[in-house]
Amino acid sequence: MTAAPDCLFCKIVAGDIPAEVVHTTESTVAFRDINPQAPLHVLVVPRDHEPDAAASAAADAAMFAEIATTARAVATGEGYDDYRLVFNTGAGVGQTVFHTHCHVLAGRAMTWPPG
Ligand code: 5GP
Ligand code: ZN
C-alpha cells in the first residue's frame, strides 16, 4: 500500500495539505503537530500508508527503523537529548489518524505511567 484515499497524512506527505515540515528522509516526513502537547511535538510518518506501527514494521522493517532515527534527528536537532516517542495504536488508546505516526515529544517534564 502506498497512499490511501481521504487519508490526512497521505495528503500532507503529498503536499496537498500544508504542514510545517521539519525533516524529510527517503521514507519519512516529519512535521509539527497542529495541537502540540509539549514544546517539541513532531509527528514522524512513513511516506507509505499503513494504518499503524505494527503494519508499517511488517511491511518494511528498514523504513520502520528510519522512523526512530528520524525522531532522534528531529529531537537532537532542536536541542533535546531526552524525548518521548509514542505510537497510539487503536481508537481505544487515542489513535485518531489511521496512518502510522510517531509522536516525538520533548521540552517539559513528563510523568510515568502516561495518562
Ligand atoms: P493520534 O491521536 O492519532 O495518535 O495523533 C494524531 C495527531 O495528529 C494529533 O496529535 C493531532 O493533533 C494531529 N493532527 C490532526 N490533524 C492534523 C493536521 O491537519 N495537521 C497536523 N500537523 N497535525 C494534525
Ligand atoms: Zn495515509
Side-chain angles (χ1 to χ4, degrees):
M1 194 182 287
T2 51
D6 301 324
C7 170
L8 174 64
F9 289 172
C10 282
K11 289 177 181 168
I12 287 176
V13 167
D16 294 338
I17 289 178
E20 191 180 343
V21 174
V22 297
H23 195 92
T24 60
T25 67
E26 186 177 342
S27 303
T28 70
V29 177
F31 54 89
R32 294 195 196 282
D33 196 292
I34 204 167
N35 182 23
Q37 301 301 313
L40 176 69
H41 189 173
V42 164
L43 303 173
V44 182
V45 312
R47 292 182 186 274
D48 283 350
H49 179 95
E50 293 289 346
D52 61 39
S56 286
D60 187 340
M63 176 277 289
F64 192 70
E66 205 170 296
I67 294 175
T69 54
T70 299
R72 180 181 60 188
V74 167
T76 59
E78 300 210 11
Y80 300 109
D81 289 331
D82 298 342
Y83 53 90
R84 182 172 289 182
L85 304 184
V86 176
F87 290 94
N88 291 323
T89 303
V93 299
Q95 187 177 6
T96 58
V97 179
F98 291 84
H99 177 132
T100 304
H101 52 281
C102 178
H103 295 261
V104 185
L105 298 150
R108 64 166 171 80
M110 293 190 196
T111 58
W112 194 264

